[in-house]
Amino acid sequence: MAPKKSSKSKGTPVKKSATKADPLFPARPRSFNVGGAIRPAGRDLSRFVRWPKYVRIQRQRAVLYQRLKVPPAINQFTKAIGKNEAVNVFKLLNKYRPETPAAKKQRQKEQAASEVKGKGKTANVPHQLKFGLKHVTTLVEEKKASLVLIACDVDPIELVLWLPALCRKMEVPFLIVKDKARLGTLVHQKTSAVIALTGVNKEDVAQLKIFQELGLEKFNKNTELMRKWGGGIMGLKTQAKLDKRAKAVAIEESKKQASLKH
């Protein structure tokens, strides 16, 4: 049998009376979509971001370099010369950039042509920067280098870790500069760990002497640089905890002194 239809007729919908807005507690509707109103305004959420692994490793390494104690031999590479001094040094070195292969070929052609004509030998090879770790090491050992520049960001640092000690022993002035890419551009390379200057033209002798004295003062004969350890910087929470502990010890000590007086 078919179900009986209900005899109740559908009633008309009851109209709800509109509620008045409360002035003390106004309605603030939120949008819960992505990037909507759920994000607290003005709060830095970078701490809650899941960063890529390489970013996390970079940041952890930077923190570790602050926390761990660094021996003086490694710590000296953080004490590069200032910006103004570096500008003057690089201005001088820029004059003695090595020849490009094309320029060298042209010079050799001209030299050969002058020899054929019977004019004798032309001027010697012009003064230029020497680069390459083995080459510079040989120049330092033979005391032929007038000034040595070492990059502060060589990786691994063991490549140049011993070079400052060698320069001090052989009494060759050296400077630690920023950075290996900047040294590389001077010698037509991507990067260069060290470069050396063996000589300069007459007009630049006085300028070279100034930089040699700067190297001797700041690096070669700087005993504090050879003894000062780096790192050992604790985080903000640890520093606050240690300060609190030191204050508590000081208060306790003052109480003991006061009780002894009485």
Side-chain angles (χ1 to χ4, degrees):
M1 288 179 68
K4 290 182 179 180
K5 291 181 180 177
S6 60
S7 58
K8 290 180 181 178
S9 61
K10 291 180 180 178
T12 55
V14 181
K15 289 183 179 179
K16 291 182 180 179
S17 59
T19 54
K20 290 182 179 180
D22 190 345
L24 293 176
F25 304 100
R28 294 190 180 91
R30 287 186 175 187
S31 166
F32 293 100
N33 294 329
V34 175
I38 194 65
R39 180 179 178 275
R43 186 180 294 177
D44 182 16
L45 297 180
S46 61
R47 184 174 172 178
F48 306 103
V49 175
R50 186 177 175 82
W51 295 98
K53 194 171 184 180
Y54 78 95
V55 174
R56 278 179 279 156
I57 288 169
Q58 282 174 355
R59 292 178 180 179
Q60 287 164 356
R61 189 195 294 131
V63 171
L64 270 178
Y65 280 161
Q66 287 182 325
R67 303 285 182 270
L68 298 175
K69 290 204 170 182
V70 183
I74 298 173
N75 188 52
Q76 66 182 337
F77 286 94
T78 62
K79 311 294 181 186
I81 58 172
K83 187 179 177 182
N84 295 332
E85 294 159 341
V87 166
N88 293 326
V89 171
F90 280 96
K91 199 180 286 183
L92 172 68
L93 297 179
N94 203 41
K95 296 179 185 178
Y96 299 97
R97 295 181 74 179
E99 294 174 306
T100 58
K104 186 177 180 181
K105 198 173 181 181
Q106 181 66 25
R107 179 176 59 80
Q108 287 172 340
K109 273 185 181 179
E110 289 171 3
Q111 189 173 344
S114 64
E115 284 176 8
V116 168
K117 287 177 183 177
K119 290 182 179 178
K121 286 190 176 180
T122 55
N124 293 330
V125 179
H127 293 299
Q128 56 188 18
L129 295 172
K130 310 294 181 183
F131 63 100
L133 204 50
K134 288 183 179 178
H135 189 189
V136 172
T137 305
T138 307
L139 292 172
V140 172
E141 286 172 343
E142 294 172 358
K143 293 191 176 182
K144 289 182 180 177
S146 303
L147 183 67
V148 176
L149 270 74
I150 308 170
C152 67
D153 58 341
V154 178
D155 188 30
I157 195 71
E158 287 82 4
L159 289 172
V160 292
L161 192 59
W162 44 270
L163 195 54
L166 181 65
C167 289
R168 288 187 184 108
K169 187 179 179 182
M170 306 310 290
E171 296 178 352
V172 174
F174 74 95
L175 295 168
I176 294 172
V177 296
K178 293 180 183 178
D179 48 34
K180 61 184 179 184
R182 202 171 176 188
L183 291 182
T185 54
L186 286 173
V187 292
H188 312 293
Q189 302 288 324
K190 282 186 179 178
T191 58
S192 180
V194 289
I195 59 172
L197 198 57
T198 52
V200 292
N201 299 332
K202 285 182 180 178
E203 63 269 18
D204 293 322
V205 170
Q207 190 77 7
L208 177 63
K209 197 171 183 183
I210 291 169
F211 295 136
Q212 285 175 329
E213 288 170 1
L214 176 69
L216 290 170
E217 181 192 343
K218 279 204 165 187
F219 296 99
N220 287 61
K221 296 179 180 178
N222 189 351
T223 52
E224 188 186 349
L225 191 70
M226 292 183 269
R227 293 174 186 169
K228 193 171 183 181
W229 283 62
I233 302 166
M234 293 294 106
L236 294 174
K237 288 181 182 177
T238 308
Q239 285 179 13
K241 196 186 290 183
L242 292 173
D243 290 343
K244 192 177 178 182
R245 193 180 296 167
K247 282 178 185 175
V249 169
I251 291 166
E252 194 68 31
E253 194 65 31
S254 63
K255 283 180 182 176
K256 280 184 184 178
Q257 294 294 332
S259 63
L260 287 171
K261 285 179 182 178
H262 292 297

